Amino acid sequence: MQRHAIGLETCSTSARSSAPDLRDHLRSATSEVHERLHHHPGLAAVQTGMIGKTAYTALLRRLYGFHRPFEMMAGLLPVRTIWLERDLIDLGVDPGSIAFLPHALAFPAQASPEYLLGARYVVEGSALGGRGLARQLDGLLGHGVTAGRRFFAGHGAETGAQWRAYLDQLWNAPTGLAAQTESVAGATRTFAIFEQWLEGWNDWHD
């Protein structure tokens, strides 16, 4: 997971001006956990192109267990869930077993729109770094092969546009202290869930 900020300031005038207050609050509040995730052994192994098939499959299983309940909680189309399902199947996982993979259970049963807006900062921002990670999988999956890397490839060339659309939502979000505090809580809590969920990702697949 690379830094959310890579390349963002030059994306467009809209991106540069989108919600500087809320965006800065989100970035500042999550900077420490974000930095720790740069060094997560699974993500770091993808980044260096040094991950094997067994470990990579274990990592995708764990990511599935986060993104499926996250998208359900946030009321989002299960786009990342579907990408991960297809990647796992391409890697040889029994399709019938995927629905029974462990899921993160720490998401709130109900959340305000402001909380969900902040929570989405985690997944929308990580998609930017995902494209770079996808390119590092050539050694494992083969150059130009889409199968097995749909999740990290994400929206491809449209990833930047997706991020700018999210920034527009930040720009149009309520500016009151209570609303911003709720959004920051959504981001920090979701990052904490993600970090905790990735612990032990490879315990049974070393």
Side-chain angles (χ1 to χ4, degrees), residues 122-137:
V122 179
V123 297
E124 299 292 351
S126 65
L128 295 166
R131 292 191 66 197
L133 295 180
R135 290 191 290 270
Q136 297 301 107
L137 291 166

Side-chain angles (χ1 to χ4, degrees), residues 102-133:
H103 294 165
L105 301 176
F107 296 108
Q110 294 183 326
S112 68
E114 293 79 17
Y115 183 100
L116 294 176
L117 181 65
R120 286 176 53 213
Y121 179 77
V122 179
V123 297
E124 299 292 351
S126 65
L128 295 166
R131 292 191 66 197
L133 295 180

Side-chain angles (χ1 to χ4, degrees), residues 65-184:
F66 171 85
H67 284 281
R68 185 182 185 191
F70 175 84
E71 288 183 323
M72 292 176 65
M73 174 202 70
L76 301 173
L77 293 174
V79 174
R80 292 176 174 84
T81 299
I82 291 171
W83 288 336
L84 284 162
E85 288 175 347
R86 294 179 67 185
D87 285 342
L88 286 167
I89 292 169
D90 288 335
L91 290 166
V93 175
D94 176 12
S97 71
I98 294 175
F100 297 98
L101 291 173
H103 294 165
L105 301 176
F107 296 108
Q110 294 183 326
S112 68
E114 293 79 17
Y115 183 100
L116 294 176
L117 181 65
R120 286 176 53 213
Y121 179 77
V122 179
V123 297
E124 299 292 351
S126 65
L128 295 166
R131 292 191 66 197
L133 295 180
R135 290 191 290 270
Q136 297 301 107
L137 291 166
D138 282 354
L140 176 63
L141 303 175
H143 180 71
V145 176
T146 301
R149 72 175 103 201
R150 292 180 182 86
F151 171 74
F152 284 116
H155 293 283
E158 296 301 314
T159 300
Q162 293 287 325
W163 173 249
R164 290 190 293 272
Y166 173 68
L167 292 183
D168 285 342
Q169 293 181 46
L170 292 185
W171 175 250
N172 291 302
T175 57
L177 178 59
Q180 292 205 357
T181 299
E182 185 76 355
S183 292
V184 170

Side-chain angles (χ1 to χ4, degrees), residues 5-123:
I6 292 176
L8 296 184
E9 302 308 323
T10 59
C11 283
S12 69
T13 301
S14 174
R16 288 194 299 271
S17 61
S18 293
D21 291 338
L22 179 53
R23 180 180 171 185
D24 288 348
H25 286 317
L26 293 173
R27 182 161 45 196
S28 175
T30 61
S31 61
E32 291 186 8
V33 62
H34 197 179
E35 183 62 30
R36 288 195 300 272
L37 285 168
H38 290 302
H39 305 289
H40 179 272
L43 297 171
V46 175
Q47 174 62 44
T48 59
M50 299 298 291
I51 197 166
K53 181 180 177 181
T54 300
Y56 181 58
T57 303
L59 178 63
L60 293 188
R61 284 192 180 102
R62 207 65 176 168
L63 290 169
Y64 176 87
F66 171 85
H67 284 281
R68 185 182 185 191
F70 175 84
E71 288 183 323
M72 292 176 65
M73 174 202 70
L76 301 173
L77 293 174
V79 174
R80 292 176 174 84
T81 299
I82 291 171
W83 288 336
L84 284 162
E85 288 175 347
R86 294 179 67 185
D87 285 342
L88 286 167
I89 292 169
D90 288 335
L91 290 166
V93 175
D94 176 12
S97 71
I98 294 175
F100 297 98
L101 291 173
H103 294 165
L105 301 176
F107 296 108
Q110 294 183 326
S112 68
E114 293 79 17
Y115 183 100
L116 294 176
L117 181 65
R120 286 176 53 213
Y121 179 77
V122 179
V123 297

